[in-house]
Amino acid sequence: MAIDAATVKKVASLARIREPEDRLEPLARELSGILQWIEQLAEVDTEGVEPMTSVVKAALPMREDVVTDGGDPARVLANAPRSDRNFFVVPKVVE
């Protein structure tokens, strides 16, 4: 499939993109090249190939869903600037 300068001009107009006349022909050749490459990809036999979401097979690490008592509040609050009864104290941000 080849794209000509008139098609590029029409698509640019529909997309409200202003393209100078001297750029239409080079742009048409570039877009035609891209479409030829896509047609080449369509010729590849992908029968039996599973669709992929990534080129690297990776599984997400899972942890057990275990209920805990929340840990040690003293250790959690050890670096807090201010705390009160096992809670962080933060400045008021909404008046």
Side-chain angles (χ1 to χ4, degrees):
M1 174 183 221
I3 293 182
D4 58 1
T7 303
V8 172
K9 187 175 184 176
K10 181 179 178 182
V11 171
S13 172
L14 291 172
R16 298 184 187 272
I17 298 172
R18 189 177 307 148
E19 198 63 45
E21 288 288 329
D22 61 329
R23 281 280 304 140
L24 294 178
E25 195 59 44
L27 204 51
R29 282 194 302 272
E30 189 175 336
L31 291 171
S32 293
I34 292 170
L35 289 176
Q36 285 175 352
W37 185 73
I38 291 171
E39 288 170 358
Q40 271 186 324
L41 286 178
E43 294 172 4
V44 175
D45 182 17
T46 57
E47 186 70 31
V49 178
E50 299 257 342
M52 302 183 320
T53 57
S54 171
V55 293
V56 178
K57 187 170 183 157
L60 293 175
M62 301 292 283
R63 65 174 170 81
E64 286 193 37
D65 189 14
V66 178
V67 177
T68 66
D69 61 356
D72 185 358
R75 287 183 54 204
V76 172
L77 296 169
N79 292 327
R82 289 183 57 202
S83 63
D84 183 22
R85 291 171 280 168
N86 292 336
F87 292 100
F88 288 94
V89 176
V90 296
K92 186 175 182 179
V93 292
V94 177
E95 294 295 327

